[in-house]
Amino acid sequence: MASPATLDTAPPRLAGDAEKAAKSRDLVQSVERAMALLEALAEDGSGLRLTDLVQKTGLSPSTAHRLLTTLQTRQFVHFDPVNALWFVGRQTFSVGLAYGQRQSVLAPALPLLRPLRDLTRETANIGIVDDGAIVLMGQIESREIVRAIGRTGGRAPLFGSAMGKAILSTYRDEDVHALLKQAGLPRTTSAGPGGTEALLEELALVRERGYAVDEHEFSQGLRCVASPVRDRRNEAIAAVSVSGLAARLTLERLPVVGAQVVDVALRLSQSLAGRER
């Protein structure tokens, strides 16, 4: 006969997995409901009562109030106790402002990218810095049959792309060292940089001539030329680039194309800073 200790077994593993899955579903559902509350508040700037939010979202009063108080602690919503009204909070504004800043780079960039595409006959791009990477915000495609095309929203490493190196050239060497220590130096292709010292030497050259070059580092067979874009605080927040087949965007063309890219980046920087050229 089995002893009492043997009979007192732990719950089956599947039960634990099911519990985790249920908690995960509950978490996702809570996020969706919180977003619904924020969307409802965003539609009415005059504020909404709890009963109004319940009607708009279909949530129970207890669930809506619990989520609202959680959002309030993170300042995503604000409660006016005098009028018993809920409003969008300042943290929601901050998040939306970050998106608006990205858009404010793209809008003035596009009219400048089109003539750059026509001058170089290659694809012209605008990318921004985001969490240690370059995010492609927009591009004007080359009219050539075979051309370089990137996915809008796609990410490229700072250390392995022309736009990334253009941004890095505005940093001090000690800041570049700190980034390298944190993220490491990836070798995206066999043509990637040879090491930290080689990268620092290349960045010094970028500062001197005003543009960076991607020699098949991010994508084999393609060459890219980029220059940094600065905001009104003189911080590099984006980069303009031209990308194309290395067979067309030859080393002999780089000085001319580089100067054209630098010119567009400068004009965009001045536009963002509100200065006349």
Side-chain angles (χ1 to χ4, degrees), residues 30-39 41 53 59 63-79 86-92:
S30 294
V31 172
E32 290 176 345
R33 289 171 171 175
M35 294 300 101
L37 289 169
L38 286 174
E39 289 169 358
L41 289 172
L53 286 167
L59 299 175
T63 298
H65 188 266
R66 173 174 55 83
L67 292 172
L68 286 168
T69 53
T70 301
L71 290 169
Q72 185 182 25
T73 61
R74 301 298 297 270
Q75 299 182 323
F76 279 92
V77 299
H78 170 70
F79 181 64
W86 292 92
F87 297 88
V88 168
R90 68 174 181 85
Q91 190 63 23
T92 304

Side-chain angles (χ1 to χ4, degrees), residues 17-56:
D17 292 341
E19 185 179 355
K20 289 180 181 178
K23 287 182 178 179
S24 178
R25 286 193 299 271
D26 289 344
L27 179 61
V28 172
Q29 190 178 55
S30 294
V31 172
E32 290 176 345
R33 289 171 171 175
M35 294 300 101
L37 289 169
L38 286 174
E39 289 169 358
L41 289 172
E43 291 174 359
D44 195 328
S46 59
L48 293 171
R49 295 179 181 274
L50 179 62
T51 52
D52 299 325
L53 286 167
V54 167
Q55 185 177 3
K56 283 178 173 289

Side-chain angles (χ1 to χ4, degrees), residues 69-270:
T69 53
T70 301
L71 290 169
Q72 185 182 25
T73 61
R74 301 298 297 270
Q75 299 182 323
F76 279 92
V77 299
H78 170 70
F79 181 64
D80 176 8
V82 175
N83 299 300
L85 291 174
W86 292 92
F87 297 88
V88 168
R90 68 174 181 85
Q91 190 63 23
T92 304
F93 172 76
S94 298
V95 172
L97 183 62
Y99 175 78
Q101 288 172 339
R102 290 187 176 187
Q103 295 300 95
S104 68
V105 174
L106 181 60
L110 292 179
L112 297 173
L113 294 183
R114 291 188 182 94
L116 180 62
R117 183 272 312 274
D118 296 337
L119 277 173
T120 62
R121 306 190 310 277
E122 302 295 349
T123 299
N125 314 281
I126 178 72
I128 64 166
V129 183
D130 180 73
D131 193 24
I134 291 290
V135 178
L136 181 63
M137 287 296 292
Q139 65 180 190
I140 304 296
E141 295 181 15
S142 167
R143 293 193 175 97
E144 300 289 337
I145 296 176
V146 181
R147 57 191 183 272
I149 301 177
R151 177 177 62 84
T152 303
R155 300 174 71 86
L158 281 177
F159 297 105
S161 63
M163 285 198 285
K165 289 186 288 187
I167 297 293
L168 288 172
S169 71
T170 68
Y171 295 1
R172 299 175 302 174
D173 282 355
E174 50 265 42
D175 295 328
V176 175
H177 272 293
L179 285 173
L180 285 170
K181 187 176 180 180
Q182 179 182 359
L185 183 58
R187 293 182 63 87
T188 49
T189 74
S190 59
T196 301
E197 292 306 316
L199 173 65
L200 293 176
E201 291 176 5
E202 184 178 3
L203 294 180
L205 179 60
V206 174
R207 296 183 191 106
E208 180 181 338
R209 67 189 179 190
Y211 63 87
V213 179
D214 171 350
E215 291 284 356
H216 318 273
E217 293 164 37
F218 185 61
S219 185
Q220 194 68 39
L222 297 181
R223 183 171 281 129
C224 185
V225 184
S227 186
V229 174
R230 298 174 182 268
D231 62 8
R232 63 177 64 250
R233 295 171 298 181
N234 205 34
E235 294 182 3
I237 59 169
V240 168
S241 76
V242 163
S243 54
L245 297 181
R248 283 199 309 263
L249 197 53
T250 61
L251 294 176
E252 290 75 21
R253 290 187 64 199
L254 286 185
V256 173
V257 174
Q260 293 165 335
V261 172
V262 169
D263 179 66
V264 169
L266 176 61
R267 283 192 281 163
L268 180 55
S269 298
Q270 293 169 336

